[in-house]
Amino acid sequence: MPRPPIESRSPSIEDDVLIVGAGIAGLVLALELHDAGIGCRVYEAVPEAGAVGVGINLLPHASRILHQLGLGDELDGVGVTTAESVFFNRFGQLIYREPAGRHAGYDHPQYSIHRGDLHAVLLRAVRERLGDDAVRLGHRCTGVEQDETTATAHFRSTGSGAGLPPVRARVVIGCDGIHSVVRKQLHPGEGEPRYSGINMWRGVTRGRPFLSGASMVRAGWLDRGKLVAYPIRDFADGTGDQLLNWVAEIRTPRHRQRDWNRRGRLEDFIGAFEDWHFDWLDVPAMMRGSEAVLEYPMVDQDPLDRWTFGRVTLLGDAAHPMVPRGSNGAGQAILDARALRRSLVGVPDAVAALQAYEAERRPATTQVVLTNRSTPPDVILGEVWERTGDRPFESIDDVISADELARISQRYKEVAGYSADALRDAGPASSA
């Protein structure tokens, strides 16, 4: 039996929850609320849904939730189940290797997946379960207002710019990403994003598998050039090829405005990787094999002291944009959605439910944002860089112990909420 709505309904209100934004955060939230028997609808600015972006990782705490939502088989079919996380210096020497996901004893896998493939899985599930009109495209949110009983979102047509009818709901959730209109309304004086001093270029290339064929590689360091590379799709054409996702990161004082789809230039960074010819991967060849290069500055925002204003709150990147150095942005949005579901189910008053959600998630995500700035998993590479003076080593044990490397990795898992102990303690009924 579906659970009762968060409050008694009114004929003039379309749904209990209005979700602004049909990205990963908004679609997962819609699936969570539907599963809990809470009416919702999603409004998205883009006029057509399409596969955009490049690769992302879903760590076990996030894939656990998606499996509980019945999406495991589809994710298995479109993503690569990550087997290991591997760290190298820029000379191709192995620093540290650890198993990932189920290979590390978790109940659920880690996925490396194309963002567009993940989005397609989520969008298809929302439309199948909630109906074809559950996601309304071409609706650009221009602002939200509220009274004692409802919140109202205002929209314009993305195509024509004409005003569209306002929509009322019990609560409005801003899942509208790094350029969130809802966040800007709630915090109008926030200012510009904080630049980390690191610029990145990203691409995808069809190529042969490297290492295990399911390895996530981090190599080099930011001062000379750092690489992240992993497969995100297996081709079923008999060639054995994979779609390889790669990210080049270099410390640089300049950057351009954040835009996930901004085109970049190969000549701006390829020089740092020209001699990266390893027996397990030809890095410059992989980079040159990409049809398109995207450029993005590593930016975040200082954590907010408040997400929730009455019947309006934030979720995902709109609430806590973070530097993408922990493979964890999408995961934190998915955890947000699960927490908001719990609060709306467990707290009868909608306003109090949003406050309970924020009380749980804002401190947790604040810690992740700050940790991504200072000690994300790739700090392992920085330690070796400094201790070796950017020179090859005879033995990694002479530079840093395996125990110290494991402790660095474990600390991030604990902060981000996907240590084995944390997931074991959460138990199977955490959605209730």
Side-chain angles (χ1 to χ4, degrees):
M1 289 291 291
R3 296 177 176 87
I6 52 178
E7 294 178 0
S8 60
R9 304 189 63 157
S10 163
S12 63
I13 297 175
E14 260 190 69
D15 290 291
D16 291 311
V17 180
L18 187 155
I19 301 168
V20 179
I24 293 170
L27 294 176
V28 173
L29 179 59
L31 292 172
E32 288 279 13
L33 297 180
H34 174 74
D35 191 55
I38 297 173
C40 65
R41 202 174 304 270
V42 186
Y43 293 80
E44 168 58 46
V46 301
E48 294 183 14
V52 297
V54 285
I56 62 172
N57 271 266
L58 294 175
L59 300 172
H61 58 347
S63 69
R64 176 178 188 267
I65 290 172
L66 298 183
H67 275 242
Q68 290 172 347
L69 288 170
L71 300 175
D73 289 344
E74 287 199 73
L75 294 175
D76 290 341
V78 299
V80 173
T81 302
T82 312
E84 61 177 358
S85 183
V86 198
F87 298 80
F88 295 87
N89 63 12
R90 69 182 181 94
F91 308 104
Q93 294 179 294
L94 176 65
I95 293 172
Y96 182 61
R97 167 181 265 128
E98 66 176 6
R102 283 187 172 137
H103 300 270
Y106 288 93
D107 290 336
H108 296 89
Q110 175 175 330
Y111 291 107
S112 296
I113 189 170
H114 195 293
R115 181 181 289 271
D117 291 344
L118 173 60
H119 189 266
V121 167
L122 297 174
L123 182 61
R124 183 165 53 249
V126 169
R127 285 175 166 164
E128 288 174 353
R129 299 177 191 185
L130 281 72
D132 288 338
D133 66 341
V135 179
R136 298 188 176 180
L137 302 176
H139 281 65
R140 184 174 299 280
C141 182
T142 59
V144 181
E145 60 184 6
Q146 60 183 301
D147 56 31
E148 292 184 358
T149 59
T150 60
T152 303
H154 297 273
F155 299 96
R156 287 192 175 277
S157 167
T158 303
S160 68
L164 297 172
V167 183
R168 300 172 66 207
R170 293 297 183 192
V171 296
V172 171
I173 314 299
C175 299
D176 47 343
I178 57 173
H179 298 294
S180 172
V181 170
V182 180
R183 177 178 176 129
K184 190 171 295 185
Q185 178 181 330
L186 300 179
H187 296 274
E190 183 179 16
E192 293 300 309
R194 175 189 175 276
Y195 179 49
S196 67
I198 302 160
N199 208 45
M200 68 178 183
W201 296 263
R202 305 169 300 148
V204 292
T205 303
R206 180 168 180 150
R208 304 303 298 168
F210 58 83
L211 298 177
S212 71
S215 301
M216 180 176 185
V217 167
R218 297 179 179 96
W221 187 237
L222 302 163
D223 296 83
R224 285 288 297 271
K226 172 176 167 263
L227 169 75
V228 181
Y230 49 88
I232 57 174
R233 186 188 296 161
D234 293 317
F235 289 105
D237 55 7
T239 64
D241 284 353
Q242 294 179 309
L243 190 64
L244 309 177
N245 181 83
W246 56 265
V247 185
E249 303 171 9
I250 302 176
R251 201 181 305 281
T252 176
R254 65 179 179 84
H255 72 283
R256 302 173 71 186
Q257 185 179 8
R258 56 182 176 176
D259 179 350
W260 283 121
N261 299 304
R262 181 190 302 283
R263 291 299 179 102
R265 303 189 309 166
L266 192 70
E267 57 267 30
D268 287 342
F269 64 92
I270 190 68
F273 303 93
E274 284 287 16
D275 60 350
W276 287 36
H277 304 284
F278 309 135
D279 57 2
W280 47 273
L281 182 65
D282 187 326
V283 174
M286 177 182 63
M287 291 176 171
R288 288 193 171 94
S290 181
E291 290 186 5
V293 174
L294 302 178
E295 178 182 356
Y296 189 81
M298 284 198 170
V299 295
D300 63 14
Q301 303 274 171
D302 287 330
L304 296 172
D305 61 1
R306 184 178 180 187
W307 294 352
T308 303
F309 291 75
R311 295 178 177 273
V312 181
T313 196
L314 303 171
L315 188 147
D317 282 347
H320 44 74
M322 59 186 63
V323 174
R325 286 180 62 192
S327 302
N328 200 31
Q332 292 301 316
I334 292 168
L335 265 63
D336 289 349
R338 173 57 57 91
L340 182 54
R341 168 198 176 144
R342 279 198 303 267
S343 293
L344 290 173
V345 167
V347 181
D349 176 71
V351 174
L354 298 191
Q355 293 170 344
Y357 150 74
E358 178 182 331
E360 176 183 348
R361 290 299 297 156
R362 189 169 59 80
T365 56
T366 292
Q367 192 173 10
V368 176
V369 169
L370 298 179
T371 302
N372 274 13
R373 291 179 180 179
S374 58
T375 51
D378 66 8
V379 77
I380 286 172
L381 301 175
E383 285 291 323
V384 174
W385 164 278
E386 292 182 2
R387 297 184 191 191
T388 62
D390 186 33
R391 291 187 295 271
F393 48 76
E394 291 293 329
S395 169
I396 188 60
D397 294 330
D398 297 333
V399 180
I400 187 170
S401 72
D403 286 345
E404 186 174 356
L405 291 167
R407 284 196 299 272
I408 293 172
S409 178
Q410 181 63 21
R411 280 199 299 270
Y412 188 80
K413 294 182 178 74
E414 290 170 355
V415 168
Y418 70 100
S419 70
D421 289 343
L423 294 188
R424 191 160 42 245
D425 292 344
S430 58
S431 63

